[in-house]
Amino acid sequence: MKLYSFFRSSAAYRVRIALNVKGIAYETVSVHLVKDGGHNKRPEFRAVNPQMRVPVLVTADGNVLIQSLAIIEYLEETQPEPPLLPHSPLARAKVRALAELIACDIHPLNNTSPLRYLKREMSQEQSAIDAWYHHWVIEGFEALEALIEPGPYACGSQVTLADVCVVPQVANARRLKVPLDRFPKIVGVEQACLALAAFGRARPENQPDAE
Ligand SMILES: N[C@@H](CCC(=O)N[C@@H](CS)C(=O)NCC(=O)O)C(=O)O
């Protein structure tokens, strides 16, 4: 498989973790999201993903998949072991809720394109953009902190899709210096996950395109 990725992309980080958890080998194709206004805007990448975002997974038989959660659900369905979703429908709904809280409600507000839009089209100062970023992470993390049940992972004793989303979002928060002292459960989940090789190998600093 081939993964279009960028070391700092938290959505690509999710897919890297899922591939590692399931022991699926893949080749990284780096797409720099910042240099020259973003190599993701180049026609050759647009031809791969019309949305011009990473991650993109190209399967062994050449199918092109986009959207991290859809990609991870595909991996879960095609290679169920070890599972990233629990067995019972109720438990699955709870895991997916945490994943979506991050992927649908926090991450889109703090992504490269919207932040760039605030700066260029809305003429916002960097300090206002940083305040925006912190606000949405903190509001999301307050809910997450109340919802997770560390045991030691976000939803108990097994790694799930929730952890796959928590760890990259915490990495982003750390990079943008969001204070995390009010979120001991979230930090505990991060620490438990990062002790696992599948998460460690997926970290931004361990990618071939790391800067
Ligand atoms: N919902 C998408 C988000 C993908 C996404 O926005 N990726 C970011 C990097 S984390 C990106 O490529 N941004 C480029 C841009 O906004 O121009 C997913 O989960 O895959």
Side-chain angles (χ1 to χ4, degrees), residues 97 128 186:
I186 295 175

Side-chain angles (χ1 to χ4, degrees), residues 86-94 96:
H87 183 68
S88 89
L90 190 62
R92 289 163 90 89
K94 288 186 176 181
R96 286 186 171 120

Side-chain angles (χ1 to χ4, degrees), residues 34-45:
V34 182
K35 260 186 207 161
D36 313 317
H39 293 176
N40 53 316
K41 307 288 183 195
R42 288 176 169 172
E44 55 267 34
F45 185 65

Side-chain angles (χ1 to χ4, degrees), residues 94 98 144-157 185 189:
K94 288 186 176 181
L98 296 196
L144 191 62
E145 181 75 9
L147 288 165
I148 58 178
E149 298 162 9
Y153 306 113
C155 294
S157 61
K185 289 200 278 178
V189 166

Side-chain angles (χ1 to χ4, degrees), residues 2-142:
K2 196 160 71 176
L3 180 68
Y4 289 84
S5 175
F6 179 52
F7 75 108
R8 233 165 33 209
S9 156
S10 62
Y13 190 176
R14 292 175 202 146
V15 175
R16 297 196 299 259
I17 296 168
L19 287 163
N20 292 345
V21 165
K22 291 185 177 291
I24 300 170
Y26 67 95
E27 171 201 341
T28 300
V29 181
S30 175
V31 182
H32 205 294
L33 298 184
V34 182
K35 260 186 207 161
D36 313 317
H39 293 176
N40 53 316
K41 307 288 183 195
R42 288 176 169 172
E44 55 267 34
F45 185 65
R46 188 182 206 151
V48 176
N49 179 6
Q51 204 191 2
M52 295 181 285
R53 294 187 181 205
V54 294
V56 175
L57 186 75
V58 183
T59 65
D61 52 8
N63 283 298
V64 178
L65 302 178
I66 65 166
Q67 289 289 340
S68 61
L69 296 188
I71 293 170
I72 295 167
E73 293 263 359
Y74 166 83
L75 296 174
E76 182 74 1
E77 285 165 15
T78 52
Q79 187 152 325
E81 294 298 328
L84 283 170
L85 287 170
H87 183 68
S88 89
L90 190 62
R92 289 163 90 89
K94 288 186 176 181
V95 166
R96 286 186 171 120
L98 296 196
E100 289 179 24
L101 188 158
I102 293 166
C104 305
D105 296 342
I106 301 179
H107 178 254
L109 294 166
N110 295 330
N111 202 355
T112 319
S113 287
L115 297 183
R116 231 180 238 157
Y117 190 82
L118 286 175
K119 193 177 191 96
R120 295 187 187 158
E121 277 75 9
M122 308 297 281
S123 308
Q124 294 300 309
E125 298 291 337
Q126 192 55 47
S127 57
I129 296 170
D130 291 345
W132 163 279
Y133 189 105
H134 283 220
H135 172 78
W136 294 114
V137 173
I138 288 169
E139 193 190 85
F141 276 13
E142 279 168 356

Side-chain angles (χ1 to χ4, degrees), residues 130-192:
D130 291 345
W132 163 279
Y133 189 105
H134 283 220
H135 172 78
W136 294 114
V137 173
I138 288 169
E139 193 190 85
F141 276 13
E142 279 168 356
L144 191 62
E145 181 75 9
L147 288 165
I148 58 178
E149 298 162 9
Y153 306 113
C155 294
S157 61
Q158 301 297 319
V159 165
T160 66
L161 180 62
D163 302 293
V164 167
C165 292
V166 168
V167 169
Q169 191 61 53
V170 176
N172 273 359
R174 288 190 189 284
R175 192 164 60 83
L176 273 291
K177 302 197 176 1
V178 177
L180 295 174
D181 34 306
R182 281 166 50 206
F183 308 115
K185 289 200 278 178
I186 295 175
V187 171
V189 166
E190 180 206 31
Q191 298 309 315

